[in-house]
């Protein structure tokens, strides 16, 4: 990464962490797909602080760290079930920043859609709270915390899916050549990809159901799979969000080669050289 790119990244991250203090010039929805990564930054830091100093302090070499009681202790100490409050506070940071950005945009523009967008991130914060509390409480899959987890996740996923497809991607328009799409499309040679994106976006938005079945693969591995699929969904989301934004800019003449005039021009016949000279003299 070049020096200018590094400074651009640092500057925009600083503005992101100071959301609300500056006018919103570019939303950072991509950060909302990094909750799993952000949580694990704390986990790895916690394990390093609690485990590796003990190794460097002396003692016999560990032949199999996975079965070392010290790392097992650090794993329990730093896991979500023990420090769920810290994990939750880190996980909601992107949602909180986007919520503040939406409120700031509403204050600047008075557009009600920004408050509706803020509600989407608010519902995500509530669903994450119910998820972390369910993991912390350790209640079975029939307990009250599990019911709240499923209920809030369902509402949040429906909210996010509707916003993705109808607002961000501008799909489900009426009077279109292709059902469920929009009148103007850029990827006209890949129509099937739109339907594939719709289906996969909905499926990954409901990826939280992977935590419901008992037994099978471990809870940690399920979290890794869910985090990876969310990253892939966000990559796909970027393509169609950028397409929708570009078409919107063209409709509002923010990106165009020619801006139509607010009046019509009558047909002017071609003038010969002599007629052109006469027309010039008539002006005087």
């Amino acid at each position: 990464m070049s020096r200018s790119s590094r400074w651009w990244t640092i500057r925009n991250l600083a503005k992101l962490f100071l959301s609300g203090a500056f006018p919103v010039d570019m939303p950072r929805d991509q950060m909302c797909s990094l909750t799993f990564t952000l949580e694990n930054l704390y986990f790895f830091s916690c394990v390093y602080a609690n485990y590796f100093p003990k190794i460097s302090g002396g003692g016999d070499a560990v032949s199999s760290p996975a079965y070392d009681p010290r790392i097992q202790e650090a794993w329990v100490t730093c896991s979500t079930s023990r420090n769920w409050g810290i994990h939750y506070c880190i996980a909601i940071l992107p949602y909180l920043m986007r919520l503040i950005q939406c409120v700031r945009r509403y204050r600047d523009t008075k557009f009600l859609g920004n408050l509706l967008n803020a509600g989407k991130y608010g519902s995500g914060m509530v669903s994450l709270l119910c998820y972390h509390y369910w993991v912390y409480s350790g209640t079975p899959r029939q307990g009250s915390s599990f019911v709240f987890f499923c209920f809030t996740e369902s509402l949040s996923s429906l909210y996010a899916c509707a916003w993705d497809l109808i607002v961000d991607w501008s799909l489900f328009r009426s009077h279109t050549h292709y059902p469920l799409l929009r009148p103007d499309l850029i990827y006209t040679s890949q129509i099937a990809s739109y339907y594939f994106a719709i289906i996969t976006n909905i499926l990954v938005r409901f990826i939280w159901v992977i935590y419901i079945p008992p037994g099978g693969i471990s809870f940690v591995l399920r979290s890794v799979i869910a985090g990876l699929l969310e990253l892939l969904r966000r990559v796909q989301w970027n393509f169609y969000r950028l397409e929708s934004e570009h078409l919107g800019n063209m409709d509002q003449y923010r990106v165009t080669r020619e801006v139509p005039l607010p009046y019509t021009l009558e047909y002017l016949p071609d003038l010969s050289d002599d007629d052109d000279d006469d027309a010039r003299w008539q002006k005087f």
Side-chain angles (χ1 to χ4, degrees):
M1 185 181 292
S2 64
R3 182 179 179 182
S4 59
S5 299
R6 290 196 301 269
W7 277 113
W8 182 89
T9 304
I10 294 173
R11 184 172 61 254
N12 282 273
L13 285 176
K15 293 177 66 176
L16 181 61
F17 281 98
L18 295 174
S19 297
F22 303 96
V24 182
D25 55 351
M26 184 176 66
R28 273 77 177 180
D29 290 280
Q30 285 76 8
M31 293 292 294
C32 295
S33 297
L34 299 177
T35 54
F36 178 77
T37 304
L38 295 175
E39 286 188 66
N40 279 277
L41 289 178
Y42 164 76
F43 176 79
F44 286 123
S45 301
C46 180
V47 171
Y48 180 83
N50 288 276
Y51 174 67
F52 284 96
K54 298 178 182 179
I55 295 298
S56 60
D60 298 333
V62 179
S63 57
S64 180
Y67 297 98
D68 183 15
R70 290 171 294 184
I71 198 171
Q72 295 294 329
E73 179 185 357
W75 183 280
V76 174
T77 302
C78 303
S79 63
T80 305
S81 58
R82 178 70 64 86
N83 299 305
W84 73 276
I86 300 177
H87 283 267
Y88 171 70
C89 291
I90 296 175
I92 67 168
L93 279 178
Y95 292 87
L96 181 61
M97 294 172 187
R98 286 293 293 124
L99 188 148
I100 295 174
Q101 283 186 339
C102 292
V103 174
R104 173 59 190 260
R105 295 190 76 175
Y106 173 75
R107 195 194 76 171
D108 295 339
T109 63
K110 304 302 180 183
F111 178 56
L112 184 60
N114 292 318
L115 287 184
L116 297 176
N117 198 15
K120 180 186 69 173
Y121 298 108
S123 66
M125 294 169 63
V126 174
S127 64
L128 281 174
L129 175 62
C130 294
Y131 163 74
H132 282 84
Y133 181 73
W134 171 58
V135 174
Y136 165 75
S137 61
T139 57
R141 286 169 171 78
Q142 293 81 21
S144 58
S145 61
F146 175 72
V147 173
F148 277 108
F149 159 66
C150 293
F151 177 73
T152 55
E153 283 286 0
S154 298
L155 290 181
S156 178
S157 298
L158 288 173
Y159 202 155
C161 279
W163 197 272
D164 287 339
L165 302 178
I166 299 175
V167 180
D168 288 339
W169 291 358
S170 303
L171 301 179
F172 294 93
R173 304 300 182 187
S174 58
H175 308 293
T176 59
H177 182 69
Y178 299 100
L180 304 180
L181 302 185
R182 70 174 87 89
D184 298 323
L185 301 172
I186 293 180
Y187 309 115
T188 53
S189 61
Q190 302 292 334
I191 299 300
S193 65
Y194 289 92
Y195 297 101
F196 176 81
I198 292 173
I199 296 173
T200 54
N201 189 83
I202 295 174
L203 291 177
V204 179
R205 279 295 190 183
F206 284 86
I207 193 60
W208 54 269
V209 299
I210 197 176
Y211 300 114
I212 295 179
I217 59 178
S218 65
F219 202 89
V220 176
L221 183 56
R222 298 185 194 192
S223 300
V224 173
I225 295 174
L228 179 61
L229 290 177
E230 172 59 23
L231 289 177
L232 295 176
R233 185 200 69 83
R234 183 61 68 178
V235 172
Q236 173 184 262
W237 179 90
N238 286 331
F239 281 97
Y240 299 101
R241 180 68 182 93
L242 181 62
E243 178 197 31
S244 176
E245 185 70 18
H246 176 67
L247 293 174
N249 289 335
M250 292 177 60
D251 290 339
Q252 300 180 29
Y253 303 111
R254 291 195 293 252
V255 177
T256 183
R257 291 179 180 271
E258 298 178 356
V259 178
L261 298 175
Y263 51 85
T264 58
L265 294 175
E266 297 180 357
Y267 173 74
L268 297 178
D270 294 334
L271 298 176
S272 63
D273 293 338
D274 295 334
D275 295 333
D276 210 8
D277 292 335
D278 295 335
R280 291 194 189 98
W281 282 111
Q282 289 177 3
K283 292 182 181 180
F284 293 97

